[in-house]
Every structure is written in structure tokens, then in C-alpha cells.
Amino acid sequence: MGIEQIGVVGAGQMGNGIAHVMALAGYEVLLTDISDEALKEARELIDANLTRQVSREKISEAEKTEALARISTTRTLTDLGRTDLIIEAATERETVKQAIFEDLLPHLKPETILTSNTSSISITRLASRTDRPERFMGFHFMNPVPVMQLVELIRGIATDQETFNACMAVVEKLGKTAATAEDFPAFIVNRILMPMINEAIYTLYEGVGSVKSIDLAMKLGANHPMGPLALADFIGLDTCLAIMNVLHDGLADTKYRPCPLLTKYVEAGWLGRKSGRGFYDYRQDPPVPTR
């Protein structure tokens, strides 16, 4: 399975990072989104991030120029049908992902591999709604994609060895490291990380500590580079809640019950950095805790 052209669905936080690293590794990338504005912003962000890599002497100016030239954009989802590998990086809602794959199916080459960057949703279930469950798997990048070294590769129950090998080869060409995860709710990273974040929110909810104290305690007491509440804001509180709901529903264990305070913040539209407010208020510099 020779992979040369890669389609990326979604030009948001994850999609633009995936397009960035794929183009830098030499792949032709076709990036799609429903919004012209999102595609324009994605190109500008990729340009800025590549420029930062040039300034830090991670890449050359020529490599930046070549990478940008490999990225094309389209608002027509079905244009991605001609690519060899498609990575869906849309919002973390199963119905949205299923609709994307259903729209793509009639336009795919027989050999095209379908993957999802989902952080928690069942790969087997997503694959079962397509015509190629054996050529479907989870391809989960960490955020921010150009910086983080890990990729989780998740096989569905029907994923064949050839598909796995092809995706592993892509990870290696990117210069990243793969961790293979079984298809259980939230896989490895988020199965461990999200309950920790949820517990930090419970610690705030129950008045054990303030936002500042909780983040300071974990940074200085556990040597974490970022406190769990600041990390939740970075990830997006809506994403954190979605993953906790997947864990709670999928494993039927009360230890995965989302903290009511997390639900309240999401209901208020306080989603973290992307909305300007979460556990910190980012409309001020430096950001200040909201509780």
C-alpha cells in the first residue's frame, strides 16, 4: 500500500497540525473544511508554525516553502476520494464522524485507507458503518501535533495487518513514535489522562483547593509541565466532557462520572482557551483563574 496523497478532514486545531506534519514529511496533502475562513486560518497558522520551526533551526526555509506547496485546500469533501489515506479530524461527535464517512464512501478508491483521529470513540463501531472495516483504524495524534512525538494506532476488530503496517510506516516517516492501543473507550492516553483531569475538577468543585493551588501543586509536586486545569483549558472543556462521557457510558463505572462543574462550564460556553474562558480567563494577560 503506497501512500503518497493524504486527505485531512477538518482544518481546526488538530487538522491543521496533521496537515503540517504530513506535508513536512513529503506527503501531498488535501485539507478540507466546511468553511473558507477555517481553511484560510489553517494555512496562516501552518505558515506561522513552520516559520517558528525555521527560526529555531528545526527546518530550513526551503523545507518550509516545499511543505506549504504540498498543501491544497477544498470545501468539497468528496474531493478527498482520490487520496490514498484519509484522516478524519472533525469534532469529537460520533454522528458527525459517521456522516463524514458516509458522504465519502461512494467517492473512494478501492484501496483508500480510512482513519479517524478520534480520542475516544469506538473504531470498530465507526468502521462498521463503512464498506471497508478491514481498511479502517484509529490514527490518534497528540496536541499540538507538530510538537508531540506520540501517535496512538488503534485497530478495530476487523482491521487487517496490511492497513496497520501502512499506517505504522506513515508514523515512522513522520519521525514520530507509535503506541498500539486496543479498541476500548479512550484508548491509552485519555483513559489515564482524562480521569486525572476530572479528579482535579472534583478537587476544585469540593473546595479542596483553588485553581491556582491545584495547578501549582501538580506542577511543582508531580513535576507536570502544565497543571491539569490549565491543560483542560488547552484541550477544550467540551472535548474533556465528551471523552469522560464516552468512558462513563462505555465502561459503566461510576469512577468515570464527569464532574458536575465540568458540565456546568461547558453549558456556559466556557470551553477554555478557544472560547476565551474556562478555568482561566484568557481575555486578560496573563490569564487569571475564574474560581
Coordinates of all heavy atoms in Angstrom, one line a residue, residues 140-178:
H140 N -4.6 8.4 16.1 CA -4.8 9.5 17.1 C -3.5 10.3 17.4 O -2.6 9.7 18.1 CB -5.4 8.9 18.4 CG -5.6 9.9 19.5 ND1 -5.4 9.6 20.8 CD2 -6.0 11.2 19.4 CE1 -5.7 10.7 21.5 NE2 -6.1 11.6 20.7
F141 N -3.4 11.5 16.9 CA -2.3 12.4 17.2 C -2.5 13.1 18.5 O -3.7 13.3 18.9 CB -2.2 13.4 16.1 CG -1.7 12.9 14.8 CD1 -2.5 12.3 13.9 CD2 -0.3 13.0 14.4 CE1 -2.1 11.8 12.7 CE2 0.1 12.5 13.2 CZ -0.7 11.9 12.3
M142 N -1.4 13.5 19.1 CA -1.5 14.3 20.3 C -1.4 15.8 20.0 O -0.8 16.2 18.9 CB -0.3 14.0 21.3 CG -0.2 12.5 21.6 SD -1.7 11.8 22.5 CE -2.2 10.6 21.4
N143 N -1.9 16.7 20.8 CA -1.9 18.1 20.5 C -0.9 18.8 21.4 O -0.8 18.6 22.6 CB -3.4 18.6 20.8 CG -3.5 20.1 20.5 OD1 -3.0 20.5 19.5 ND2 -4.3 20.8 21.3
P144 N -0.1 19.8 20.8 CA 0.0 20.2 19.4 C 0.7 19.2 18.6 O 1.8 18.7 18.9 CB 0.7 21.5 19.5 CG 1.5 21.5 20.7 CD 0.8 20.6 21.7
V145 N 0.2 18.9 17.4 CA 0.7 17.8 16.6 C 2.2 18.0 16.2 O 3.0 17.1 16.2 CB -0.2 17.6 15.3 CG1 0.3 16.5 14.4 CG2 -1.6 17.3 15.7
P146 N 2.6 19.2 15.7 CA 4.0 19.3 15.3 C 5.0 19.1 16.5 O 6.2 18.8 16.2 CB 4.1 20.8 14.8 CG 2.7 21.1 14.5 CD 1.8 20.4 15.5
V147 N 4.6 19.2 17.7 CA 5.5 19.1 18.8 C 5.5 17.8 19.5 O 6.5 17.2 19.8 CB 5.1 20.2 19.9 CG1 6.0 20.1 21.2 CG2 5.2 21.6 19.3
M148 N 4.3 17.2 19.6 CA 4.2 15.9 20.4 C 4.6 14.7 19.5 O 4.3 14.6 18.4 CB 2.7 15.7 20.8 CG 2.2 16.9 21.7 SD 3.1 17.0 23.2 CE 2.3 15.7 24.2
Q149 N 5.4 13.8 20.2 CA 6.0 12.7 19.5 C 5.2 11.5 19.3 O 5.5 10.6 18.5 CB 7.3 12.4 20.2 CG 8.4 13.4 20.1 CD 8.7 13.7 18.6 OE1 9.1 12.8 17.9 NE2 8.6 14.9 18.2
L150 N 4.1 11.4 20.1 CA 3.3 10.1 20.1 C 2.2 10.1 19.1 O 1.5 11.2 19.0 CB 2.8 9.9 21.5 CG 2.1 8.5 21.7 CD1 3.1 7.4 21.7 CD2 1.2 8.5 22.9
V151 N 1.9 9.0 18.5 CA 0.7 8.7 17.8 C 0.1 7.4 18.3 O 0.9 6.4 18.4 CB 0.9 8.6 16.3 CG1 -0.4 8.3 15.5 CG2 1.5 9.9 15.7
E152 N -1.1 7.4 18.7 CA -1.8 6.1 19.1 C -2.4 5.5 17.8 O -3.2 6.2 17.1 CB -2.9 6.4 20.1 CG -2.5 6.5 21.5 CD -3.6 6.6 22.5 OE1 -4.5 7.5 22.2 OE2 -3.6 5.9 23.5
L153 N -2.0 4.3 17.5 CA -2.6 3.5 16.4 C -3.6 2.5 17.0 O -3.2 1.7 17.9 CB -1.6 2.8 15.6 CG -0.6 3.7 14.8 CD1 0.4 2.8 14.0 CD2 -1.4 4.5 13.8
I154 N -4.9 2.6 16.6 CA -5.9 1.7 17.2 C -6.5 0.8 16.2 O -7.1 1.4 15.2 CB -7.0 2.6 17.9 CG1 -6.3 3.5 18.9 CG2 -8.0 1.7 18.6 CD1 -6.3 5.0 18.4
R155 N -6.4 -0.5 16.3 CA -7.1 -1.4 15.4 C -8.5 -1.6 15.8 O -8.8 -1.8 17.0 CB -6.4 -2.8 15.4 CG -5.0 -2.9 15.0 CD -4.6 -4.3 15.3 NE -3.1 -4.5 15.2 CZ -2.6 -5.2 14.2 NH1 -3.3 -5.7 13.3 NH2 -1.3 -5.4 14.2
G156 N -9.4 -1.6 14.8 CA -10.8 -2.1 15.1 C -10.7 -3.6 15.0 O -9.7 -4.2 14.7
I157 N -11.8 -4.2 15.3 CA -11.8 -5.7 15.4 C -11.5 -6.3 14.0 O -11.0 -7.4 13.9 CB -13.2 -6.2 15.9 CG1 -13.0 -7.7 16.4 CG2 -14.3 -6.0 15.0 CD1 -14.2 -8.2 17.2
A158 N -11.8 -5.6 12.9 CA -11.7 -6.1 11.6 C -10.4 -5.6 10.8 O -10.1 -6.0 9.7 CB -12.9 -5.8 10.7
T159 N -9.7 -4.6 11.4 CA -8.5 -4.0 10.8 C -7.5 -5.1 10.4 O -7.1 -5.9 11.2 CB -7.8 -3.0 11.7 OG1 -8.8 -2.0 12.2 CG2 -6.7 -2.3 11.0
D160 N -7.1 -5.1 9.1 CA -6.1 -6.1 8.7 C -4.7 -5.6 8.9 O -4.4 -4.4 9.1 CB -6.4 -6.5 7.2 CG -6.2 -5.5 6.2 OD1 -5.4 -4.5 6.4 OD2 -6.8 -5.6 5.1
Q161 N -3.8 -6.6 8.8 CA -2.4 -6.3 9.1 C -1.8 -5.3 8.0 O -0.9 -4.5 8.4 CB -1.6 -7.6 9.1 CG -0.1 -7.5 9.6 CD 0.0 -7.0 11.0 OE1 -0.9 -7.4 11.9 NE2 0.9 -6.1 11.3
E162 N -2.2 -5.4 6.8 CA -1.7 -4.6 5.7 C -2.0 -3.1 6.0 O -1.1 -2.2 5.9 CB -2.2 -5.0 4.4 CG -1.5 -4.3 3.2 CD -2.1 -4.8 1.9 OE1 -3.1 -5.5 1.9 OE2 -1.5 -4.4 0.8
T163 N -3.2 -2.9 6.5 CA -3.6 -1.5 6.9 C -2.8 -1.0 8.0 O -2.3 0.2 8.0 CB -5.1 -1.5 7.2 OG1 -5.8 -1.8 6.0 CG2 -5.5 -0.1 7.6
F164 N -2.6 -1.8 9.1 CA -1.8 -1.4 10.2 C -0.4 -1.1 9.8 O 0.2 -0.1 10.2 CB -1.8 -2.5 11.3 CG -1.0 -2.2 12.5 CD1 -1.5 -1.5 13.5 CD2 0.3 -2.7 12.5 CE1 -0.7 -1.2 14.6 CE2 1.1 -2.4 13.6 CZ 0.6 -1.6 14.7
N165 N 0.2 -2.0 9.0 CA 1.6 -1.8 8.5 C 1.7 -0.5 7.8 O 2.7 0.3 7.9 CB 2.1 -2.9 7.7 CG 2.2 -4.2 8.5 OD1 2.2 -4.2 9.7 ND2 2.3 -5.3 7.8
A166 N 0.7 -0.2 6.9 CA 0.8 1.1 6.1 C 0.7 2.3 7.0 O 1.5 3.3 6.8 CB -0.4 1.1 5.1
C167 N -0.1 2.3 8.0 CA -0.2 3.4 8.9 C 1.0 3.5 9.8 O 1.5 4.6 10.1 CB -1.5 3.3 9.8 SG -3.0 3.5 8.9
M168 N 1.6 2.4 10.2 CA 2.8 2.4 11.0 C 4.0 3.0 10.2 O 4.8 3.8 10.7 CB 3.2 1.0 11.4 CG 4.5 0.9 12.2 SD 4.5 1.8 13.8 CE 3.7 0.5 14.8
A169 N 4.0 2.7 8.9 CA 5.0 3.3 8.0 C 4.9 4.8 7.9 O 5.9 5.5 7.9 CB 5.0 2.7 6.6
V170 N 3.7 5.3 7.9 CA 3.4 6.8 7.9 C 4.0 7.4 9.2 O 4.7 8.4 9.1 CB 1.9 7.1 7.7 CG1 1.7 8.6 7.8 CG2 1.5 6.6 6.3
V171 N 3.6 6.8 10.3 CA 4.1 7.3 11.6 C 5.7 7.4 11.6 O 6.3 8.4 12.0 CB 3.6 6.5 12.8 CG1 4.2 7.0 14.1 CG2 2.1 6.5 12.8
E172 N 6.3 6.4 11.1 CA 7.8 6.3 11.1 C 8.3 7.4 10.1 O 9.3 8.0 10.4 CB 8.2 4.9 10.7 CG 8.0 3.9 11.7 CD 8.2 2.5 11.3 OE1 8.5 2.3 10.1 OE2 8.1 1.6 12.1
K173 N 7.7 7.6 9.0 CA 8.1 8.6 8.1 C 8.0 10.0 8.7 O 8.8 10.9 8.3 CB 7.3 8.5 6.7 CG 7.9 9.4 5.6 CD 7.2 9.2 4.3 CE 7.8 10.1 3.2 NZ 7.1 9.9 1.9
L174 N 7.0 10.2 9.5 CA 6.8 11.5 10.2 C 7.9 11.7 11.3 O 8.0 12.8 11.8 CB 5.5 11.5 10.9 CG 4.2 11.5 10.0 CD1 3.0 11.5 10.9 CD2 4.2 12.7 9.1
G175 N 8.6 10.7 11.6 CA 9.6 10.8 12.7 C 9.0 10.7 14.1 O 9.6 11.2 15.1
K176 N 7.8 10.2 14.1 CA 7.1 10.1 15.4 C 7.1 8.6 15.9 O 7.6 7.8 15.2 CB 5.6 10.6 15.3 CG 5.6 12.1 15.0 CD 4.1 12.6 15.1 CE 4.1 14.1 14.7 NZ 4.7 15.0 15.7
T177 N 6.6 8.4 17.1 CA 6.6 7.1 17.7 C 5.2 6.6 17.9 O 4.3 7.4 18.3 CB 7.3 7.1 19.1 OG1 8.7 7.5 18.9 CG2 7.3 5.7 19.7
A178 N 4.9 5.4 17.5 CA 3.5 4.8 17.7 C 3.4 4.0 18.9 O 4.3 3.2 19.3 CB 3.2 4.0 16.5

